Amino acid sequence: MSDAAPLIGEPLALDLVNTRQADTDMLTTPAALRAWLELQATRFPPAREFAEAALTDADLAAVRELREHTASALDHVRHGTRPPAGDLAVINQAQRAAPAIDELVWNGQVVTAVRIRTGPAGARLAGWLAEAAADLLADPGVTKIRQCEADDCVLLFLPAHTRRRWCSAARCGNRVRVARHYQRHRSSGESAG
């Protein structure tokens, strides 16, 4: 299925993987990457900073490479098989390229720890996304991730309910139900005639 808007609302690493749909890549330019980050800003606090940064083609390439290795590793791990070592190495290297620390700050009343990454904006972005991928891949719930059951959809989701079958009821669920309804009525009309 090709839809103009990316699916968001899943764990960040899944949202990243889902920017590559069956016949559409949502991350083809730095501007497209910034637009996707804007969509993530309410759920992923550093996203707004990255959306406002001067991201380059090299930064985009790093995010796309990370996405491909995350998708490959995820496909293995969710099926209970060993992911390729190269996929894990790319994810680990992206985290190492922009180390994370818990920076201590005084907020006027207490000391709080704020997680930050160091380095250029593109490396920090890839580091945050790699950390999200590592968290998802190491989560025991990763085996519950499913692919949408619509024939032409490749999007992944983590179902909150065991009966969920589609990436989104509005995207694929309604379309599949309408097609089934049409097929049932078309078949019953042919047998009556």
Side-chain angles (χ1 to χ4, degrees), residues 41-85:
T42 58
R43 301 176 44 236
F44 173 52
R48 188 163 319 284
E49 171 196 343
F50 296 124
E52 294 169 358
L55 297 174
T56 65
D57 287 334
D59 299 332
L60 173 65
V63 169
R64 288 175 58 155
E65 178 185 24
L66 179 63
R67 176 186 64 187
E68 298 311 311
H69 288 280
T70 300
S72 174
L74 186 58
D75 190 49
H76 287 277
V77 173
R78 73 187 187 95
H79 291 106
T81 61
R82 182 181 185 162

Side-chain angles (χ1 to χ4, degrees), residues 5 18 20 26 39 63 70 83 100 104 109 124 141 191:
N18 285 337
R20 185 195 59 192
M26 305 300 241
L39 293 172
V63 169
T70 300
L104 299 175
Q109 298 177 336
R124 290 192 329 266
S191 37

Side-chain angles (χ1 to χ4, degrees), residues 145-166:
I145 292 173
R146 298 164 123 182
Q147 182 174 329
C148 181
E149 289 184 19
D151 291 337
D152 57 349
C153 186
V154 297
L155 298 181
L156 301 174
F157 61 91
L158 185 59
H161 190 282
T162 57
R163 293 184 59 195
R164 182 175 171 193
R165 301 175 57 199
W166 300 292

